[in-house]
Structure formats: C-alpha cells, structure tokens
Amino acid sequence: MNTGDHLIVDADLYGGSIRLFNHVSEKNGIEFSSVDCYKENVAGYIRENTKAVYIETPTNPMMNVTDIKALAEITKEHNLLLIIDNTFLSPYFQNPLDLGADIVVHSGTKYLGGHNDTLAGFLVTNREDISERFRFLIKTTGAGLAPFDCFLIQRGIKTLGVRMDRAQENAIEIAKWLKKQDIVGKVIYPGFEEHPGYEIMKKQARGFGAMLTFELTKKEYAFEILENVKMIKYAESLGGVETLITYPATQTHADVPEEIRVKNGITDCVLRMSVGIENIKDLLNELEQVFAKVRGE
C-alpha cells in the first residue's frame, strides 16, 4: 500500500489489527473505512483510491460471519484485493482462496502451531504477481521464520485436523451448557442455528470452530469467573491445546475506543473462550464449580 491509498476493513477486528491500522498505517498516510462487512453494502464505501477489503470471518470476538464468495464478487468487479484473516477457522475448516479471496492471513501462533510455544504469521495467495511481491518484501525486510520456529509450525500442522475436531466438539458442548446458565445473557457461537451466519458457515466452511463468546448479565460475574478459573486459563491467546478465557475489554481490545468497542458489542460483561482439547467432563466440571461460586452457592 502507498500513501493516499484507502482500505475498507471490518469494524470488528482483532485489537492488534486495529492498533496497526490506527497508530501505524494511518500515520503513514493510508486511509481506512470501518464497515460491518457481514451486513452492510461494502460497495457503497468504495472510493477511487480504494485498494483492498480486509475482513475476518468469523470476527474476533463477536463471531460475525461474512459471505466470502459474495464479497469476492464485489471486490473483483471493482478490481480490489480481498484479504481475509482465517485464523479462527484455520485451513482445516475454511479455505478463502477457493471462495475468491486474493490473500489469506493466518496467525501461525494459534491453531497452526497449536501449542502456544512459537510466534509465526503467514500470508497465503494463489496469485503469482502477489506471491512475487511477498517474496521481495520478505527478502528485503528479513521477515522469515527461524529454522526451529519452522519445525514447531510443521509439527503443529501434523495434528491440526485432530485438534480442530476435538476442540470443536468441546466448544459445542460448552456453548450448549452456557446457554442454560441464568447468569449468561447471550452465547455467540456460529454453530447454533439461530446465529445469523449459520447458513453461510455451512456453505463456505467445513466446521464452526472452537471459539465462542458469551455475555454475562453483570460485569461483576465476568470478573469473578476470571478470578476463579484454574484448569481453564485466564489468558489472551487462542488456538492451543489448552482452554483459555479472555476479557476483550481490557485485553485484546483495550486500545479500541470505548464507544467503538461497545458499538461492536464488546461490553464489560463479555468473555471470549478458546476451547481446547481437554476432556469435556473436566471442562464442564470446572465451569460448574466456578459458576456455582459466582452465584454464591
């Protein structure tokens, strides 16, 4: 991207992406329009200097689902790049390039590595011109993985399918359990039929993933849950074998202005969970004990 270029980006993005765009890219003269790409008319935001559309699907943390194929038709019509962060589903569950995306972004630190023991990022494309540009930039900046990190990622990918299947099975059971709790106001998981993106997910993905978000009826309940979990770790990452729970308001999205955060649904009552591959009985037993303590039982 060059100074003066414009990007359309999803309104609900990982906080690190928002920090990069707002505090680095804008300073360097790149313009952004934040759009709810899953429901708004993206074409209406295209300008003469628009170069690309950047989305996550499902989004982090509100699990909004965008129709990739439909969006790709718009970007191709206007000769724009479509860039999709596929970290939440991984290549095992979703392949955006097959649906018309030009570039796919993965945080290899997450599901691809799978063990929370290496830092990695990937840019994937099926276009030769983009691939050559990436190759030039990697050689110029030195942004390549060290040999041992490559080994760790390759090791993780060998068990990707097994881990994703097990984590998804656990996530579905936990999401169902959470829906029955009186101190939970909302559970957001795209594997529920009532989720607005359910049918789109069935069409463009092979699974619903192991990420879920839920909203407590009081923010004090959220704090107490975070203080009392033990086997489930209160930590910011995702995609490892361990189940992690995160408080987006002060962790992943701490630098997002409050009015924008709340508009996107990230209130002080919201928790995000990355479900791991532990025994589901152990996970539910922990949640039952924690929730009982929160209720004062």
Side-chain angles (χ1 to χ4, degrees):
M1 297 294 170
N2 299 311
T3 299
D5 287 345
H6 171 251
L7 274 75
I8 297 170
V9 301
D10 210 308
D12 183 36
L13 290 176
Y14 166 59
S17 300
I18 295 172
R19 287 196 302 272
L20 173 65
F21 296 156
N22 291 350
H23 299 289
V24 179
S25 301
E26 283 190 348
K27 175 175 63 67
N28 293 332
I30 298 175
E31 302 171 359
F32 295 89
S33 292
S34 294
V35 180
D36 287 317
C37 294
Y38 73 101
K39 66 178 181 180
E40 293 191 63
N41 177 23
V42 173
Y45 292 86
I46 296 174
R47 309 174 187 171
E48 288 186 6
N49 60 335
T50 303
K51 302 297 181 184
V53 177
Y54 180 95
I55 71 165
E56 299 171 3
T57 184
T59 60
N60 182 2
M62 299 311 294
M63 311 302 287
N64 299 319
V65 175
T66 298
D67 188 324
I68 297 173
K69 192 172 183 180
L71 185 56
E73 291 175 0
I74 294 173
T75 56
K76 283 178 170 46
E77 179 184 350
H78 295 274
N79 196 30
L80 307 177
L81 293 176
L82 176 56
I83 308 169
I84 296 181
D85 186 325
N86 195 39
T87 298
F88 268 22
L89 291 184
S90 87
Y92 183 73
F93 281 141
Q94 183 169 265
N95 305 113
L97 294 181
D98 294 340
L99 298 166
D102 299 291
I103 300 169
V104 176
V105 179
H106 291 283
S107 173
T109 307
K110 311 304 192 299
Y111 287 110
L112 295 180
H115 296 274
N116 294 322
D117 56 6
T118 188
L119 298 176
F122 296 94
L123 297 172
V124 186
T125 185
N126 54 8
R127 283 180 45 175
E128 188 66 29
D129 57 332
I130 297 175
S131 178
E132 284 301 310
R133 181 61 177 165
F134 284 164
R135 182 174 178 272
F136 172 80
L137 291 172
I138 290 169
K139 287 178 63 179
T140 302
T141 63
L145 284 181
F148 188 67
D149 293 308
C150 291
F151 160 74
L152 291 174
I153 293 295
Q154 288 180 321
R155 177 204 62 179
I157 289 175
K158 289 177 181 178
T159 61
L160 178 63
V162 177
R163 289 185 287 102
M164 295 300 292
D165 283 337
R166 174 61 173 266
Q168 178 178 248
E169 290 173 7
N170 287 349
I172 291 170
E173 292 305 311
I174 290 174
K176 290 178 180 177
W177 184 88
L178 287 168
K179 284 181 72 173
K180 299 175 183 177
Q181 307 310 306
D182 58 350
I183 63 172
V184 176
K186 182 194 305 182
V187 181
I188 308 172
Y189 180 67
F192 287 151
E193 289 188 13
E194 66 266 25
H195 189 287
Y198 176 76
E199 293 298 331
I200 296 173
M201 287 282 283
K202 287 209 310 183
K203 179 178 66 174
Q204 70 185 19
R206 292 179 293 276
F208 301 101
M211 301 296 301
L212 62 90
T213 296
F214 60 102
E215 186 172 25
L216 286 305
T217 54
K218 295 180 182 179
K219 68 178 181 180
E220 289 78 14
Y221 293 157
F223 297 158
E224 290 181 46
I225 289 170
L226 295 174
E227 289 172 359
N228 285 285
V229 289
K230 295 179 180 178
M231 183 179 72
I232 297 171
K233 302 300 182 185
Y234 173 22
E236 187 168 323
S237 193
L238 63 98
V241 294
E242 308 93 350
T243 297
L244 305 178
I245 193 165
T246 302
Y247 189 56
T250 60
Q251 289 187 296
T252 57
H253 292 68
D255 293 327
V256 178
E258 183 178 4
E259 65 274 13
I260 296 175
R261 176 169 56 77
V262 173
K263 177 178 177 290
N264 288 342
I266 309 171
T267 69
D268 292 337
C269 299
V270 165
L271 297 177
R272 188 199 74 185
M273 185 178 287
S274 168
V275 181
I277 66 172
E278 303 96 334
N279 186 291
I280 186 59
K281 292 181 180 179
D282 291 337
L283 291 171
L284 291 177
N285 183 58
E286 162 126 319
L287 288 171
E288 286 169 359
Q289 292 183 31
V290 169
F291 274 57
K293 190 168 185 178
V294 169
R295 295 190 186 98
E297 298 173 359

